Amino acid sequence: MTFEVPNLAPALPEIVLLTLTSFLLIADTVWSKRCAHCTYWATQITLLVVGWLIVSSFTTQTVVTFDGSFVRDTLADVLKLFIVATSIGIFLFSREYLLQQRSYHGEFFVLGLYGVLGMFVMVSAYNLITLYLGLEIMSLALYAMIAMQRDSQKASEAAMKYFVLGALATGMMLYGMSMLYGATGTLELPKIAQVIASGHADQAVLAFSLVFIVIGLAFKLGAVPFHMWVPDVYHGAPTAMTLYLASAPKIAAFAMLYRLLWDGLQLALPDWQGMLIILSVLSLIVGTVIAVVQTNLKRLLAYSGISHMGFVLMGVAAGDAEGFAAAMFYIIIYAITSVAAFGMIIALARMGHEFDEIEDFKGLNQRNPWLAAMMLFIMFSMAGIPPFIGFWVKLAVIEAAVNAGLLWLAIVAVITAVIGAFYYLRVVKVMYFDTVEESKPAEPITRELGFAVSVVSGLLLILGLFPSWILDLCYRSLGVTVVG
Amino acid sequence: MTVGYPILSTLIWLPIIAGVIVLFAGRNNPRLAKWLSLATVIVTFLLSLPLWFAFDRTTAAMQFVEKLDWIPAYNIQYFLGVDGLSMPLVLLTTFTQVLVIASAWEVIKERVEQYMGAFLIMQGLMTGVFVALDAVLFYVFWEALLIPMFIVIGKWGGPRRVYATIKFFLYTFFGSVFMLVSFLYMYYQSGSFSILDFHTLPLGMTAQILIFLAFLIAFAVKIPMFPVHTWLPDAHVEAPTAGSVVLAAIMLKMGGYGFVRFSLPITPDASMQLDWLVIVLSLIAIVYIGFVALVQHDMKKLVAYSSISHMGFVTLGMFVLYDILQNTGTLQGAQLGMEGAMVQMISHGFISGAMFLAIGVLYDRLHTREISAYGGVVNVMPWFGFFAVLFAMGNVGLPGTSGFVGEFMVILSSFKANPWYGILAAFTLIIGAAYTLWMVKRVIFGDIRNEAVAKMEDLNKREFAIMTALAVAVIALGVYPYPLMDVMHASVEHLIQQAFTSKL
């Protein structure tokens, strides 16, 4: 029996990430007493190293290794870079928040890094087992991170909900995968595609497997009707965790969506397209309508996030590479906007006061006009008003839907966008038009954090004025030729 | 056509950049904010003048064109240019803005830098709407404009400002999203977002009708036309004076501009089939809203309703052309109606702006807009009385003022289309006279009603200068409108030709 060493080079970022993270896990226990911030800085350095590794070996080819279970292509590299970038932002905000809340533990960052590793594996997965593995690495890290605030009843409840429903979702997905294996006789995504193309797959089993897989995906994305966990978890979890949940994992979830539905099940398009359209319409409507009555900003962002997922699914439901590119563009920007929005809440939070009620933002323009302007950027970007980047992502997915002949879906989407504008406007209204009696200045926890929030929010405007490069990046990484 | 600098980009970006600078520099220094803003609007106005003097009046082609790739993936371009339809509106914008900034001088005391900054940014965006020749660029300016206006009405407005501003925002946003979907559909058909390419894009009847209706919603909300006009009185009443002026003088024109830039050339066949819809809505606006204006107690509300009624003439003049051809067999009347509509837009910009500024003058002194709170103002404010009556006459459409020219041309051409249109439209001249003069009688003339009125002071120098500038504009355009018509002549001819070229 011969044992062949697989080509390790394509997985170098993952290998380095795993090694450094495992080292940190041990190191943290040793130095946690003496050097509380070492873990944080080591985490950021790890991410920078990994990011640099990806950039320096950036590929435009598709390389498959580990016996067809791991793929490295442009899409993987681009998504990983965005995951690294958002994670750096997440940890930056989280640290101040945890210090402020006196719940600073080095484990938070180590677990966070494991979560990033899981996302990396999901992004590069080329067979069903690898995909599942990545998903579980990420999810386990997330469960533990939400539960870290042990003495908070709300956080524990959120962790429990997330764990039970998340486990159910992965169960569904695993069941779907097993049926897919039954129908096609292989676990590798490109081979699944081949079998389906050859017509040897059992159609009934295939259809069933698709249902379960799509349900699992919808759970992870938080699409209606599998969205129930989203508001409770977003609301209950410490804001630093909500920030994490709402940003980087969404990018990984998109990768999963793409690998399964496009790399593997492209030919089953007629079967999954209808399901995605239903999920999309329901998410758009339910997310938007329920968000209107929320008074808590985190819950509001949770529901608005559901409707944002409706937009992403609309791009995917267009059922062509251009639609996926639009959805990718959307989800990356959504992740960045989430960092900005939850980062704002974190920056203004104080010990024992979360600053997550809409009322907390009352008169912010009076108390801190600069941060109020930044929050205005975030809200109008989410509402999809130009010149902010949020407009371009909506334009891209709506364009994809119109191109695919789904004009009615595009119209539903724009109507929900108008309804959605209402609750973003309400936040702006509270900040700008309401006045507070005694005007306490609202300062960010630290100057640096205020600066970081400004950078991310300012990015929404700058990207909105020059959206072309990021759009091209999404197009290129999915192999869509750019016209003009 | 060129001048030494990229004139259109300058007119857009100079105020926006200056606005941002004012936001930063003017904090804790309102004086600096005001002077900086005033300098900006004056410089911008001077820089916009070459548009008028270097404009080639013999062609309908786009002039001062600037074109850059912006988003190659969707073939979206930074494409600017003006023709005879948009150039006067750009000048109207730069002119009005000077008065708007000057009018806020002593009135705004809270967060002056944000107020001034918002108006400067708005100026750039409004100019952008009129000069953009790429549909997405147009949409970006069109929508981005909502943000500063939302803040201005909501922050410095009257008691019900929050309700008014959210209503304003949502109405307009709702109107415009369908326009966006139409743009995307046409992009899908033509592979380009250039408005000029849309003009030549062949479209089937069903598509045309749907696109026409989408445009109608977008522009009707903005103009506003009956029955989607209800945001306007609210927004006008609650907005600060300068906000009302910008709304009435410029923003409403964006709707009318939309019809001539988009609806008529892009969907000529649908326009021909559905022109009755616009005409009926216009006539309802002219007559019914005129009656509504008659019963208002609030001066601003009265002028707001009168605006809707006057904008009815604009849409009427734009859409009577098909009936004219059918009834008379010639296009001569069509040209008259279209030019009348365009002149009416400019004239209404001056007159409504002047009316709102005049009301602002009264409001600054007595802090009420109730007609019944005034009376006999002319006794204590003779100069103000002079200007107010002059502008009221313009609003009524007295010959010699700019209000007469546009309305007369529109009525004349609508007689050719259908005598009933003409009769109904002419009828409002009487209602218009009734509500305007009745207001003038109650506010300006008569005995001094109470002590508060007796203590009012006449116009100061600043107010006097603003009023004079507008009065000169109103009378000049009324006495000698030819230069304005000359500028738009070639473009209007081209537009009418487009409106009669079937795309099926």
Side-chain angles (χ1 to χ4, degrees):
Chain A
M1 188 176 156
T2 53
F3 181 75
E4 213 176 307
V5 179
N7 179 8
L8 295 174
L12 193 62
E14 282 80 1
I15 294 169
V16 171
L17 180 59
L18 174 63
T19 318
L20 288 178
T21 310
S22 305
F23 167 74
L24 261 184
L25 182 62
I26 299 162
D28 180 60
T29 56
V30 180
W31 70 32
S32 64
K33 293 278 178 323
R34 269 169 296 158
C35 172
H37 297 297
C38 290
T39 318
Y40 166 74
W41 288 111
T43 304
Q44 295 290 37
I45 291 168
T46 307
L47 285 172
L48 287 175
V49 168
V50 172
W52 177 78
L53 273 176
I54 299 170
V55 171
S56 64
S57 63
F58 193 81
T59 176
T60 49
Q61 269 114 38
T62 303
V63 189
V64 180
T65 184
F66 294 117
D67 204 15
S69 61
F70 187 94
V71 65
R72 173 109 186 251
D73 52 10
T74 318
L75 173 73
D77 279 0
V78 170
L79 289 180
K80 281 176 198 168
L81 279 176
F82 277 108
I83 289 172
V84 167
T86 43
S87 302
I88 289 175
I90 292 164
F91 291 134
L92 184 91
F93 286 111
S94 305
R95 172 178 174 234
E96 301 292 345
Y97 176 83
L98 295 173
L99 282 172
Q100 182 71 206
Q101 304 288 326
R102 314 251 152 90
S103 52
Y104 181 93
H105 300 288
E107 291 91 335
F108 182 90
F109 302 104
V110 181
L111 283 170
L113 280 180
Y114 276 120
V116 173
L117 177 68
M119 294 176 217
F120 272 32
V121 175
M122 280 162 81
V123 167
S124 271
Y126 223 32
N127 87 13
L128 297 176
I129 297 295
T130 322
L131 196 66
Y132 176 71
L133 200 68
L135 181 61
E136 281 303 277
I137 296 174
M138 180 189 83
S139 301
L140 282 174
L142 292 181
Y143 300 144
M145 284 164 87
I146 299 178
M148 262 178 71
Q149 238 179 25
R150 306 189 287 278
D151 40 1
S152 156
Q153 203 181 348
K154 253 179 17 181
S156 311
E157 187 188 320
M160 197 63 194
K161 274 180 186 156
Y162 189 53
F163 175 68
V164 172
L165 289 175
L168 192 67
T170 23
M172 294 266 188
M173 190 172 258
L174 204 55
Y175 190 45
M177 286 175 175
S178 69
M179 276 202 273
L180 191 57
Y181 178 67
T184 60
T186 175
L187 287 169
E188 286 173 46
L189 291 167
K191 285 194 185 146
I192 290 173
Q194 278 168 19
V195 175
I196 297 175
S198 70
H200 291 310
D202 184 328
Q203 288 304 317
V205 181
L206 188 65
F208 265 107
S209 77
L210 258 177
V211 173
F212 283 102
I213 285 177
V214 169
I215 289 177
L217 288 171
F219 253 116
K220 287 293 159 192
L221 280 171
V224 179
F226 310 104
H227 66 288
M228 271 72 156
W229 62 273
V230 179
D232 288 345
V233 174
Y234 275 35
H235 185 194
T239 313
M241 258 327 293
T242 317
L243 165 68
Y244 194 120
L245 267 178
S247 47
K250 300 284 181 199
I251 300 180
F254 168 78
M256 190 160 71
L257 205 65
Y258 178 80
R259 296 285 183 218
L260 278 171
L261 295 184
W262 197 246
D263 279 347
L265 296 163
Q266 188 174 348
L267 287 169
L269 173 76
D271 291 326
W272 56 256
Q273 192 178 26
M275 289 192 268
L276 288 202
I277 291 175
I278 294 170
L279 288 173
S280 167
V281 171
L282 286 177
S283 304
L284 284 169
I285 295 173
V286 173
T288 309
V289 170
I290 302 184
V292 169
V293 295
Q294 300 305 317
T295 56
N296 180 289
L297 192 60
K298 276 159 86 178
R299 272 191 108 77
L300 174 91
L301 289 172
Y303 280 109
S304 93
I306 293 170
S307 77
H308 285 300
M309 288 310 122
F311 276 100
V312 171
L313 287 172
M314 184 167 94
V316 175
D320 50 19
E322 211 194 325
F324 272 102
M328 176 178 166
F329 183 36
Y330 200 110
I331 212 148
I332 286 172
I333 298 301
Y334 173 72
I336 296 174
T337 319
S338 286
V339 172
F342 290 106
M344 180 66 77
I345 298 177
I346 285 179
L348 291 167
R350 286 292 179 277
M351 179 69 198
H353 182 64
E354 282 280 354
F355 217 90
D356 64 347
E357 296 292 329
I358 295 178
E359 285 294 296
D360 291 333
F361 283 80
K362 216 170 177 178
L364 189 64
N365 182 40
Q366 227 178 325
R367 294 148 65 194
N368 192 331
W370 174 257
L371 283 188
M374 292 301 119
M375 190 66 181
L376 175 106
F377 283 15
I378 299 169
M379 288 296 121
F380 279 120
S381 183
M382 283 203 174
I385 308 289
F388 300 103
I389 186 68
F391 164 69
W392 297 106
V393 294
K394 286 205 166 66
L395 182 83
V397 290
I398 293 171
E399 200 264 344
V402 171
N403 257 347
L406 297 168
L407 199 59
W408 66 272
L409 186 57
I411 289 173
V412 173
V414 294
I415 291 174
T416 57
V418 175
I419 302 172
F422 173 75
Y423 48 77
Y424 299 119
L425 285 183
R426 207 176 48 177
V427 177
V428 176
K429 173 225 148 198
V430 167
M431 290 193 303
Y432 276 82
F433 310 153
D434 291 358
T435 45
V436 277
E437 308 271 295
E438 39 153 357
S439 143
K440 296 179 290 198
E443 289 299 327
I445 304 179
T446 60
R447 255 168 179 283
E448 292 74 29
L449 214 54
F451 183 71
V453 171
S454 312
V455 169
V456 189
S457 320
L459 204 61
L460 300 177
L461 176 63
I462 293 165
L463 284 176
L465 294 176
F466 305 101
S468 204
W469 68 272
I470 191 163
L471 186 62
D472 284 354
L473 202 61
C474 295
Y475 268 59
R476 293 238 165 77
S477 53
L478 290 182
V480 184
T481 39
V482 178
V483 289
Chain B
M1 245 340 99
T2 45
V3 283
Y5 49 97
I7 185 164
L8 298 179
S9 287
T10 313
L11 295 183
I12 295 173
W13 295 107
L14 179 70
I16 292 181
I17 293 168
V20 174
I21 293 173
V22 165
L23 280 178
F24 282 100
R27 212 172 153 197
N28 309 323
N29 193 349
R31 251 180 78 83
L32 179 71
K34 286 182 204 166
W35 282 106
L36 207 58
S37 310
L38 188 66
T40 310
V41 287
I42 291 176
V43 169
T44 316
F45 176 60
L46 294 177
L47 287 175
S48 70
L49 290 178
L51 278 183
W52 178 266
F53 294 109
F55 191 80
D56 182 355
R57 285 157 174 73
T58 57
T59 171
M62 290 297 163
Q63 306 186 31
F64 306 102
V65 170
E66 292 169 37
K67 204 171 189 178
L68 292 170
D69 274 344
W70 188 21
I71 301 168
Y74 291 134
N75 204 2
I76 296 172
Q77 288 168 324
Y78 179 76
F79 184 14
L80 309 176
V82 287
D83 63 359
L85 302 174
S86 47
M87 190 272 280
L89 292 167
V90 175
L91 289 181
L92 177 69
T93 308
T94 54
F95 173 74
T96 311
Q97 276 292 123
V98 176
L99 308 179
V100 160
I101 294 292
S103 78
W105 209 253
E106 288 135 29
V107 184
I108 300 297
K109 297 199 171 60
E110 194 191 337
R111 291 244 163 250
V112 177
E113 83 285 358
Q114 290 189 353
Y115 183 86
M116 294 291 178
F119 274 95
L120 289 177
I121 292 172
M122 250 194 280
Q123 171 171 9
L125 298 174
M126 288 186 293
T127 311
V129 167
F130 292 128
V131 303
L133 290 180
D134 181 284
V136 174
L137 186 64
F138 170 85
Y139 186 83
V140 167
F141 285 126
W142 176 277
E143 286 281 277
L145 198 46
L146 295 179
I147 300 173
M149 201 62 194
F150 176 75
I151 304 280
V152 165
I153 299 178
K155 189 145 175 57
W156 292 276
R160 284 173 76 235
R161 57 185 200 274
V162 173
Y163 166 78
T165 196
I166 290 185
K167 188 169 174 183
F168 159 75
F169 192 104
L170 291 181
Y171 259 66
T172 336
F173 189 33
F174 178 79
S176 39
V177 289
F178 295 102
M179 177 170 74
L180 181 67
V181 176
S182 317
F183 287 160
L184 289 169
Y185 177 78
M186 284 187 280
Y187 166 68
Y188 170 57
Q189 298 289 335
S190 69
S192 157
F193 273 117
S194 160
I195 296 173
L196 301 181
D197 290 343
F198 286 175
H199 284 180
T200 54
L201 172 73
L203 288 165
M205 199 60 200
T206 320
Q208 275 199 38
I209 286 184
L210 289 174
I211 292 172
F212 179 85
L213 291 175
F215 283 156
L216 181 64
I217 296 173
F219 302 138
V221 166
K222 206 82 173 183
I223 282 187
M225 291 166 80
F226 178 86
V228 283
H229 63 281
T230 58
W231 65 269
L232 184 86
D234 284 315
H236 264 317
V237 170
E238 300 303 333
T241 303
S244 301
V245 174
V246 168
L247 262 176
I250 309 169
M251 285 202 181
L252 304 192
K253 307 303 172 295
M254 288 163 36
Y257 172 73
F259 278 122
V260 293
R261 178 67 74 225
F262 292 94
S263 300
L264 285 170
I266 293 177
T267 60
D269 304 291
S271 303
M272 191 183 297
Q273 195 156 56
L274 294 172
D275 64 340
W276 58 270
L277 180 62
V278 181
I279 291 173
V280 166
L281 292 179
S282 306
L283 288 172
I284 293 177
I286 293 175
V287 178
Y288 163 71
I289 301 292
F291 276 114
V292 174
L294 204 54
V295 296
Q296 298 306 317
H297 305 288
D298 181 309
M299 289 188 280
K300 261 188 158 178
K301 227 170 185 157
L302 190 147
V303 180
Y305 279 112
S306 124
S307 282
I308 303 172
S309 173
H310 282 108
M311 289 306 284
F313 279 98
V314 173
T315 44
L316 180 66
M318 284 172 181
F319 279 86
V320 287
L321 75 177
Y322 298 106
D323 280 352
I324 291 179
L325 183 73
Q326 214 176 358
N327 289 353
T328 65
T330 69
L331 282 176
Q332 276 172 332
Q335 178 101 13
L336 190 70
M338 193 67 75
E339 274 176 21
M342 296 302 295
V343 172
Q344 171 74 357
M345 289 222 281
I346 303 290
S347 149
H348 180 258
F350 293 141
I351 294 175
S352 66
M355 297 285 278
F356 279 118
L357 283 167
I359 295 170
V361 166
L362 291 178
Y363 182 78
D364 293 342
R365 285 163 174 71
L366 234 55
H367 296 285
T368 171
R369 294 178 305 256
E370 285 294 313
I371 294 175
S372 56
Y374 295 89
V377 170
V378 73
N379 297 312
V380 286
M381 300 174 72
W383 275 112
F384 174 78
F386 165 71
F387 285 117
V389 172
L390 174 76
F391 297 138
M393 288 308 159
N395 204 35
V396 170
L398 192 76
T401 62
S402 63
F404 171 74
V405 183
E407 281 173 29
F408 185 68
M409 288 165 80
V410 171
I411 292 173
L412 212 57
S413 70
S414 54
F415 260 113
K416 288 193 179 173
N418 184 335
W420 280 107
Y421 299 167
I423 291 168
L424 273 174
F427 180 57
T428 45
L429 291 182
I430 305 169
I431 311 173
Y435 60 71
T436 314
L437 296 181
W438 193 27
M439 175 173 76
V440 167
K441 178 208 155 237
R442 284 179 291 170
V443 173
I444 309 284
F445 296 117
D447 297 328
I448 293 180
R449 176 70 62 89
N450 52 43
E451 276 180 30
V453 172
K455 281 189 204 142
M456 282 162 72
E457 287 170 22
D458 206 353
L459 301 178
N460 59 30
K461 280 188 196 137
R462 177 181 58 87
E463 289 163 341
F464 189 82
I466 297 173
M467 293 288 169
T468 312
L470 279 164
V472 169
V474 167
I475 291 178
L477 188 57
V479 175
Y480 190 49
Y482 174 75
L484 180 62
M485 270 132 86
D486 183 38
V487 163
M488 51 180 66
H489 202 76
S491 298
V492 168
E493 220 162 68
H494 178 63
L495 169 67
I496 288 175
Q497 193 201 333
Q498 283 177 323
F500 281 107
T501 313
S502 174
K503 281 184 151 192
L504 295 174

